[in-house]
């Protein structure tokens, strides 16, 4: 049934396993896996080879690709050092800043700047991280820097780029004892910590079962929240987390800045000891079937727990343009790690955070036929589909003789709103009217979006069932979509216009501050009666 979503196989093989993904503003997706297991199934062009590989003396295969959404094609990219289990964020100019990895790559900083002539590739900087980072998390900040938090035995954080001011305190690595305190003996359970930039500019940090607000400017914890009940939630007892949509009020130039309520969602995970049982004994304990919601802006917040209709570890959790949440991938038993999970979960869940009754918030969607286990990934595309790939729970590429073979394919999942019978309701953006070229939006600006729909709607109905959303392109790996953010913009006015037929213009307030919307590129969606159209790219500056 299309009303429960539809899966389409895009590519049987892209030559690598899509362990990490980042959508770029030119509608292409950077993907990569790792270099430390030997050759991939994709040859580098033009006789290019790596000569510093720790496994092969010479490696002439690609471990990264650039996927073109519109043409469903891909080309190989070349990384110089191991990018396995690394992290990333897109800077204000649209360049992917990718940090860390494994062995020779664990202190590296790499940049990928989009281009349209197929000549761009990875650039590895001579500058390195101050500390080795493997399983760290990144977050873009209001000032355009990236904060890089944690990693295995890295109980600290640092920033990129460094300040040009010599001996600036912001260039130092900052010890972060919270990460050491949340480390479990033998299992850790605090890697890839969940980071969410709050509208006041501070950073929400979640690791294991604990969460705090970090003032990274003054390097102090300003609030600690209650422990989330139930299971462990971060790697290798991997759950997922996101900040629910921020609903912005009016404001803009001359008005008061918006101060939206903030609620964090955490779903899935595994009991303490599950990783040891799976990795040492081959015993796969049942994963968590709970989600917790925390209203961070409440005076005395507590976790409110809900039950999913499935047990799930290693879920990918993404915000849809509608403000709802989709949960994909993962397993019902075990944890993250080599050969550490069983019972793949093939049905996505659609979660409606605003439904009043918790039991009615989850809907199970149509299943895939491909197990997406450890080292799988998923990301929201500008056309509203979900790109899904990866899965390699083995030390090497293993295609035969194993229960869950290494997977090199790419799929797209179309959520129910993509069904053709909604096409008459689907908005198509004609233009973003911001008074500047290249869809550049200023903070607090009032701007308009002109769009058309295929069916006439009376204005009294139209005003009520309508939304404009800004969504960040995220860096996705290990069940965490870094930098994920959805902003529901305040609508100032909606007007019908005469040309073209069935066209409308909606006027909205841009976000008021960089804390609410860090500088950079966003997908702008118009949603009509719960049906989003394709996004237009805008740039906050």
């Amino acid at each position: 049934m299309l009303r429960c979503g539809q899966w389409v196989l895009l590519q049987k093989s892209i030559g690598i396993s899509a362990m990490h993904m980042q959508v770029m503003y030119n509608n292409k997706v950077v993907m990569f896996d790792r270099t430390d297991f030997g050759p991939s199934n994709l040859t580098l062009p033009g006789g290019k080879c790596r000569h510093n590989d720790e496994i092969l003396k010479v490696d002439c295969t690609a471990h990264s690709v650039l996927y073109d959404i519109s043409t469903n094609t891909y080309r190989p990219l070349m990384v110089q050092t191991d990018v396995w289990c690394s992290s990333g964020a897109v800077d204000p100019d649209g360049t992917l800043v990718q940090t860390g990895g494994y062995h020779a790559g664990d202190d590296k900083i790499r940049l990928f700047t989009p281009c349209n002539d197929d000549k761009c590739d990875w650039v590895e900087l001579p500058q390195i991280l101050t500390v080795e980072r493997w399983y760290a998390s990144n977050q873009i900040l209001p000032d355009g820097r990236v904060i890089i938090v944690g990693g295995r035995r890295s109980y600290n954080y640092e920033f990129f780029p460094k300040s040009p001011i010599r001996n600036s305190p912001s260039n130092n690595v900052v010890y972060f004892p919270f990460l050491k305190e949340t480390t479990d003996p033998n299992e850790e359970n605090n890697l890839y910590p969940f980071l969410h930039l709050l509208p006041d500019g501070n950073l929400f940090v979640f690791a294991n079962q604990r969460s705090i607000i970090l003032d990274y400017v003054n390097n102090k914890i300003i609030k600690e929240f209650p422990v989330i009940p139930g299971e462990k939630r971060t790697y290798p007892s991997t759950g997922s987390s996101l900040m629910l949509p921020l609903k912005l009020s009016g404001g803009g130039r001359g008005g008061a800045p918006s101060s939206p309520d903030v609620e964090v969602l955490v779903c899935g995970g595994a009991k303490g000891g599950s990783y040891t049982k799976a990795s040492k004994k081959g015993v796969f304990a049942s994963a968590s079937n709970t989600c917790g919601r925390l209203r961070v802006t409440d005076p005395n917040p507590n976790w409110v727990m809900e039950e999913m209709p499935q047990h799930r570890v290693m879920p990918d959790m993404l915000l849809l343009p509608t403000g709802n949440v989709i949960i994909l991938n993962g397993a019902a038993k075990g944890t993250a790690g080599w050969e550490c999970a069983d019972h793949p979960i093939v049905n996505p869940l659609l979660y409606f955070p605003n439904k009043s009754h918790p039991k009615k918030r989850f809907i199970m969607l149509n299943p895939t036929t491909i197990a997406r286990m450890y080292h799988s990934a998923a990301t929201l595309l500008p056309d509203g589909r979900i790109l899904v790939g990866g899965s390699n729970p083995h030390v090497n590429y293993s295609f035969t003789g194993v229960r869950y073979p290494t997977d090199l394919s790419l799929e797209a999942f179309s959520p129910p709103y993509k069904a053709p019978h909604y096409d008459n309701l689907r908005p198509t953006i004609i233009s973003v009217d911001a008074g500047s070229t290249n869809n550049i939006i200023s903070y607090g600006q009032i701007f308009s979006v002109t769009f058309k729909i295929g069916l006439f709607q009376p204005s009294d109905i139209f005003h009520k069932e309508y939304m404009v959303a800004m969504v960040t392109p995220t860096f996705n790996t290990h069940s965490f979509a870094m930098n994920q953010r959805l902003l529901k913009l305040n609508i100032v006015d909606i007007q019908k216009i005469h040309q073209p037929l069935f066209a409308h213009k909606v006027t909205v307030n841009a976000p008021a501050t960089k804390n609410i919307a860090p500088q950079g590129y966003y997908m702008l969606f118009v949603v009509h009666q719960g049906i989003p159209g394709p996004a237009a790219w805008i740039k906050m500056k």
Side-chain angles (χ1 to χ4, degrees):
M1 293 193 323
L2 295 181
R3 297 194 180 196
C4 290
Q6 184 178 30
W7 289 91
V8 173
L9 182 65
L10 299 174
Q11 295 284 347
K12 289 183 69 175
S13 172
I14 57 170
I16 68 166
S17 191
M19 187 190 306
H20 314 74
M21 292 184 177
Q22 173 71 60
V23 176
M24 310 301 286
Y25 68 82
N26 62 346
N27 294 322
K28 296 180 181 179
V29 186
V30 177
M31 303 179 217
F32 51 94
D33 57 8
R34 43 191 282 247
T35 67
D36 65 307
F37 62 94
S40 74
N41 286 22
L42 182 66
T43 302
L44 286 166
K48 291 181 180 179
C49 298
R50 294 168 55 252
H51 297 273
N52 60 345
D53 188 84
E54 61 188 272
I55 303 298
L56 301 172
K57 289 184 178 180
V58 179
D59 183 5
C60 302
T61 63
H63 301 280
S64 177
V65 302
L66 186 66
Y67 175 75
D68 189 313
I69 299 168
S70 60
T71 62
N72 187 28
T73 57
Y74 59 94
R75 66 177 178 90
L77 300 175
M78 185 173 181
V79 291
Q80 297 296 329
T81 51
D82 200 354
V83 289
W84 181 29
C85 300
S86 55
S87 50
V90 174
D91 75 8
D93 292 323
T95 291
L96 171 58
V97 179
Q98 191 274 322
T99 55
Y102 188 57
H103 282 191
D106 60 12
D107 61 356
K108 297 299 187 288
I109 303 167
R110 309 167 190 86
L111 305 180
F112 185 88
T113 302
C115 66
N116 291 312
D117 60 5
D118 284 346
K119 293 182 180 178
C120 46
D121 210 331
W122 286 103
V123 174
E124 192 166 290
L125 299 183
Q127 174 190 350
I128 60 173
L129 297 171
T130 312
V131 173
E132 296 86 355
R133 305 267 175 205
W134 191 33
Y135 299 99
S137 294
N138 292 14
Q139 172 66 53
I140 188 73
L141 298 176
D143 61 7
R145 293 181 301 163
V146 176
I147 187 171
I148 308 151
V149 180
R152 177 158 284 166
R153 293 181 290 277
S154 297
Y155 309 122
N156 48 57
Y157 56 87
E158 63 181 291
F159 301 90
F160 176 85
K162 302 295 186 187
S163 169
I165 302 172
R166 191 173 182 181
N167 299 322
S168 169
S170 66
N171 289 343
N172 298 333
V173 170
V174 181
Y175 179 54
F176 192 20
F178 172 76
L179 292 179
K180 190 165 189 177
E181 294 165 10
T182 53
T183 302
D184 288 344
N186 304 317
E187 289 197 337
E188 297 172 296
N189 287 327
N190 70 339
L191 300 179
Y192 277 122
F194 303 143
L195 309 179
H196 303 300
L197 180 69
L198 301 176
D200 63 2
N202 292 311
L203 193 66
F204 177 90
V205 184
F206 182 106
N208 201 320
Q209 292 178 281
R210 290 174 55 189
S211 51
I212 54 101
I213 294 178
L214 173 67
D215 174 356
Y216 53 83
V217 176
N218 297 299
N219 301 316
K220 63 181 181 179
I221 292 173
I222 58 177
K223 189 167 189 173
E224 178 153 5
F225 298 100
V227 171
I228 189 171
E231 295 82 1
K232 312 287 185 174
R233 307 288 177 167
T234 43
Y235 184 94
S237 295
T238 303
S240 191
S241 177
L242 53 78
M243 186 167 63
L244 289 171
L246 299 179
K247 185 177 181 180
L248 306 187
S249 60
R253 293 193 177 104
S258 301
S259 297
D261 293 333
V262 178
E263 192 168 9
V264 169
L265 177 68
V266 175
C267 291
K271 293 177 182 176
S274 295
Y275 174 73
T276 301
K277 288 179 182 178
S279 60
K280 304 293 185 185
K281 302 177 181 179
V283 175
F284 307 112
S286 183
S288 172
N289 70 335
T290 62
C291 294
R293 290 172 64 156
L294 183 72
R295 291 183 65 87
V296 177
T297 44
D298 280 0
N300 296 295
N302 278 293
W303 290 97
V304 177
M305 304 305 294
E306 302 177 17
E307 286 191 2
M308 297 185 286
Q310 306 160 323
H311 293 259
R312 209 163 199 144
V313 67
M314 301 180 292
D316 282 285
M317 195 156 66
L318 301 171
L319 289 164
L320 297 175
T322 56
N324 297 323
V325 176
I326 192 166
I327 305 173
L328 315 94
N329 301 342
K333 293 186 175 184
T335 67
W338 304 132
E339 324 288 347
C340 284
D342 202 358
H343 291 252
I345 299 292
V346 293
N347 291 86
L349 291 177
L350 187 57
Y351 178 71
F352 297 85
N354 295 325
K355 283 195 174 182
S356 57
H357 199 297
K359 296 289 186 183
K360 297 181 179 179
R361 289 179 181 158
F362 289 98
I363 292 178
M364 194 174 296
L365 301 177
N366 284 333
T368 178
T369 59
I370 300 173
R372 300 289 182 184
M373 305 288 275
Y374 185 43
H375 288 151
S376 57
T379 193
L380 174 69
L381 297 179
D383 59 18
R385 294 176 300 160
I386 307 299
L387 185 68
V388 181
S391 188
N392 185 22
H394 315 292
V395 175
N396 298 307
Y397 278 1
S398 300
F399 300 106
T400 59
V402 291
R403 291 192 66 184
Y404 306 115
T406 301
D407 196 280
L408 309 184
S409 70
L410 276 186
E411 292 177 285
F413 180 71
S414 293
Y417 56 61
K418 291 289 288 182
H421 57 264
Y422 292 128
D423 284 351
N424 282 340
L425 300 176
R426 199 175 313 282
T428 301
I429 294 174
I430 300 169
S431 63
V432 177
D433 310 311
S436 65
T437 57
N438 300 321
N439 291 356
I440 295 174
I441 310 293
S442 301
Y443 289 92
Q445 178 180 354
I446 294 175
F447 70 98
S448 298
V449 183
T450 301
F451 64 96
K452 63 180 180 179
I453 54 174
L455 186 68
F456 172 76
Q457 291 286 311
S459 59
D460 59 335
I461 296 176
F462 195 78
H463 278 67
K464 296 175 183 176
E465 301 187 20
Y466 179 75
M467 187 176 80
V468 179
M470 287 171 50
V471 185
T472 51
T474 56
F475 182 89
N476 300 69
T477 190
H478 289 75
S479 302
F480 182 44
M482 300 178 195
N483 309 290
Q484 184 163 210
R485 201 174 201 79
L486 188 150
L487 308 175
K488 293 183 178 181
L489 301 186
N490 180 65
I491 295 174
V492 177
D493 187 37
I494 305 174
Q495 298 177 348
K496 295 178 185 176
I497 57 177
H498 298 296
Q499 292 294 332
L501 191 64
F502 300 152
H504 295 76
K505 178 178 286 189
V506 59
T507 302
V508 295
N509 292 110
T513 70
K514 297 175 184 178
N515 292 343
I516 293 172
Q519 300 174 80
Y521 286 90
Y522 291 78
M523 296 177 279
L524 183 73
F525 290 94
V526 176
V527 183
H528 172 221
Q529 294 188 25
I531 309 301
W537 286 97
I538 61 171
K539 184 179 183 181
M540 291 300 303
K541 189 173 181 179

